[in-house]
């Protein structure tokens, strides 16, 4: 199927569970802003229905959804240019997800590494929603006929499954209805690693607060976490090749490159030969310079949550205007009497 039949449209989502961290910012949010500013239609969602696949305290969930919205806006997403909303206000996501539950196969879901990691040894006790999570994610994207999805590297497998669902639906119903979506996984920081362990990704669920930089951390906390970040005793190399066997060093250089919007090679041209004792303060200064204005703006926005709620509500109306006719056509194709 040719993807050119569909007008370019960007969709992505982040879960309102826990705090936004540097991995979310560099792997996803910062790139959402870039795509918005390229003049493509952009739709960004706080996926609250995904968040409850694991237990969320209701008060915390409501707060996290608003804080995530504040983070989106503070990072540069403009509610006039982009459609910003929370998933549960657009019921078409869950409605399409049911149809996709009947298209996707059990075996496809069982292969998902995020399912295996999150359910772990206790899969019998995991929620059914956690298992079906990728089917809802496919619905998030395809209910808008989105063609491009910016995400971090950890979502690649879910996007492949989204493509499989679109292709199986089109094949089974002999239509050319859903686009085969392109993942957009690019930049120097598609996989930001834990500051404590270069083999683990930076994650909201890591019990160690020192493993991640949160968007709401103040300057001292950022500097302290970077100072304590695990490294090795060698000086920095002058070329990217010299980082191959040095995951912690590579992570810090990747973060520096992504924050300063340059390449790893350019960074190493400047800092090659320096010790971490010299590089870490440079990285802290850069991180504070980029993150402090965002956290300041988030705090300001959170003072008036009614404004945030109004933005999300308006966004959901714009989103529904796109989603509702696509759901109707889907029901038509599937054979539901309307
Ligand atoms: P989540 O917090 O799991 O909802 O993730 C939201 C977005 O942030 C997704 O696009 C993820 O791929 C991205 N993301 C999460 N953690 C990282 C990380 N450590 N490095 C890069 N991107 C990440
Ligand atoms: N699964 C994504 C994550 O955990 C969040 C997400 C839900 C998403 N629906 C989406 C991302 C649709 C992109 C497109 O990071």
């Amino acid at each position: 199927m040719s993807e050119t039949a569909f007008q370019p449209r960007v969709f992505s989502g982040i879960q309102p569970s826990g705090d936004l961290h540097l991995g979310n910012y560099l792997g996803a949010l910062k790139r959402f802003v870039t795509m918005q500013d390229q003049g493509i239609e952009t739709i960004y969602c706080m996926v609250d229905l995904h968040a409850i696949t694991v237990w969320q305290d209701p008060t915390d969930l409501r707060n996290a959804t608003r804080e995530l919205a504040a983070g989106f806006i503070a990072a540069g997403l403009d509610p006039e240019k982009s459609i910003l909303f929370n998933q549960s206000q657009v019921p078409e996501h869950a409605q399409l997800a049911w149809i996709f539950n009947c298209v996707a196969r059990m075996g496809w879901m069982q292969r998902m590494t995020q399912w295996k990691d999150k359910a772990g040894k206790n899969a019998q006790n995991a929620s059914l929603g956690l298992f079906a999570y990728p089917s809802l994610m496919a619905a998030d994207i395809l209910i808008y006929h989105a063609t491009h999805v910016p995400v971090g590297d950890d979502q690649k497998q879910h996007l492949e499954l989204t493509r499989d669902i679109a292709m199986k639906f089109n094949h089974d119903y002999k239509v050319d209805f859903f686009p085969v979506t392109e993942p957009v996984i690019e930049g120097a920081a598609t996989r930001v690693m834990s500051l404590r362990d270069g083999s683990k990704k930076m994650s909201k669920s890591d019990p160690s607060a020192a493993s991640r930089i949160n968007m709401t951390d103040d300057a001292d906390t950022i500097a302290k976490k970077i100072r304590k970040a695990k490294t090795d005793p060698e000086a920095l190399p002058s070329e990217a090749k010299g980082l191959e066997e040095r995951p912690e060093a590579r992570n810090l250089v990747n973060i520096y490159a992504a924050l300063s919007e340059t390449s790893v090679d350019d960074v190493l041209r400047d800092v090659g030969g320096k010790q971490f004792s010299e590089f870490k303060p440079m990285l802290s200064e850069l991180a504070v310079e980029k993150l402090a204005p965002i956290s300041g703006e988030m705090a300001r926005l959170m003072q008036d949550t009614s404004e945030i709620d109004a933005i999300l509500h308006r966004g959901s109306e714009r989103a529904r205007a796109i989603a509702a006719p696509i759901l109707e056509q889907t029901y038509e194709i599937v054979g539901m009497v309307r």
Side-chain angles (χ1 to χ4, degrees):
M1 187 180 83
S2 99
E3 286 150 38
T4 47
F6 295 87
Q7 69 179 90
R9 185 179 277 156
V10 173
F11 180 92
S12 196
I14 299 186
Q15 297 188 61
S17 51
D19 290 324
L20 264 180
H21 57 71
L22 188 63
N24 296 137
Y25 177 62
L26 295 176
L29 196 44
K30 188 169 190 307
R31 295 182 27 264
F32 295 179
V33 180
T34 309
M35 296 188 95
Q36 164 190 272
D37 295 340
Q38 284 168 349
I40 316 166
E41 184 174 16
T42 41
I43 307 176
Y44 297 122
C45 185
M46 341 281 133
V47 290
D48 48 10
L49 297 174
H50 275 107
I52 61 163
T53 55
V54 297
W55 168 253
Q56 303 295 328
D57 172 84
T59 305
D60 292 348
L61 176 62
R62 211 171 278 123
N63 189 54
T65 303
R66 291 175 175 140
E67 194 164 84
L68 180 57
F72 275 37
I73 298 164
L77 292 178
D78 175 347
E80 298 300 318
K81 286 194 202 161
S82 291
I83 299 180
L84 305 182
F85 68 104
N86 57 311
Q87 190 182 28
S88 59
Q89 292 205 70
V90 180
E92 286 80 3
H93 290 232
Q95 290 175 288
L96 184 61
W98 179 258
I99 303 217
F100 287 170
N101 283 344
C102 303
V103 173
R105 306 288 95 180
M106 295 284 285
W108 299 3
M109 299 292 168
Q110 264 152 358
R111 279 196 291 278
M112 294 294 110
T113 53
Q114 186 169 304
W115 156 252
K116 288 190 262 185
D117 290 349
K118 284 202 177 177
K121 292 191 187 71
N122 208 7
Q124 291 302 314
N125 206 28
S127 73
L128 185 54
L130 188 66
F131 188 66
Y133 178 116
S135 168
L136 177 59
M137 176 160 164
D140 295 338
I141 297 165
L142 295 173
I143 195 68
Y144 301 103
H145 280 181
T147 56
H148 294 83
V149 181
V151 280
D153 181 66
D154 59 344
Q155 294 303 311
K156 197 171 175 181
Q157 198 186 27
H158 286 159
L159 291 180
E160 278 159 13
L161 190 116
T162 300
R163 293 162 67 90
D164 289 341
I165 290 178
M167 286 190 285
K168 183 161 164 52
F169 182 97
N170 289 344
H171 177 267
D172 289 354
Y173 291 103
K174 300 186 178 54
V175 289
D176 195 7
F177 186 62
F178 287 115
V180 180
T181 304
E182 287 297 323
V184 185
I185 303 171
E186 45 191 35
T190 56
R191 192 172 180 82
V192 177
M193 307 310 282
S194 157
L195 298 180
R196 306 301 301 162
D197 177 350
S199 68
K200 285 202 316 203
K201 71 170 182 176
M202 186 178 284
S203 150
K204 287 167 188 171
S205 55
D206 193 316
S208 161
S211 72
R212 67 184 157 263
I213 292 174
N214 289 327
M215 298 302 289
T216 47
D217 283 346
D218 62 23
D220 284 348
T221 310
I222 294 176
K224 190 162 144 220
K225 287 178 178 175
I226 292 177
R227 202 173 336 112
K228 284 189 160 177
K230 188 175 166 203
T231 46
D232 57 44
E234 308 289 318
L236 284 158
S238 321
E239 288 174 13
K241 206 171 173 327
L243 292 171
E244 270 168 22
E245 304 296 321
R246 300 173 64 187
E248 283 87 12
R250 186 172 62 220
N251 188 39
L252 296 186
V253 173
N254 283 348
I255 292 173
Y256 193 98
L259 283 171
S260 59
E261 296 176 8
T262 52
S263 66
V264 167
D265 284 322
D266 282 343
V267 174
L268 292 178
R269 206 165 297 130
D270 291 341
V271 304
K274 284 194 200 303
Q275 296 293 334
F276 281 103
S277 55
E278 214 180 325
F279 178 63
K280 281 180 168 180
M282 290 171 65
L283 179 59
S284 297
E285 196 183 326
L286 177 66
V288 170
E289 177 194 318
K290 300 288 179 183
L291 302 184
I294 302 177
S295 64
E297 181 63 5
M298 278 173 80
R300 194 190 66 76
L301 290 162
M302 283 300 282
Q303 285 170 0
D304 182 6
T305 55
S306 64
E307 174 62 17
I308 293 177
D309 292 2
I311 288 171
L312 295 180
H313 185 70
R314 221 177 312 126
S316 73
E317 287 176 341
R318 291 169 66 197
R320 287 197 83 177
I322 303 170
I326 291 177
L327 181 70
E328 270 312 307
Q329 289 173 66
T330 309
Y331 280 151
E332 198 62 51
I333 290 167
V334 172
M336 304 290 172
V337 173
R338 311 307 293 151

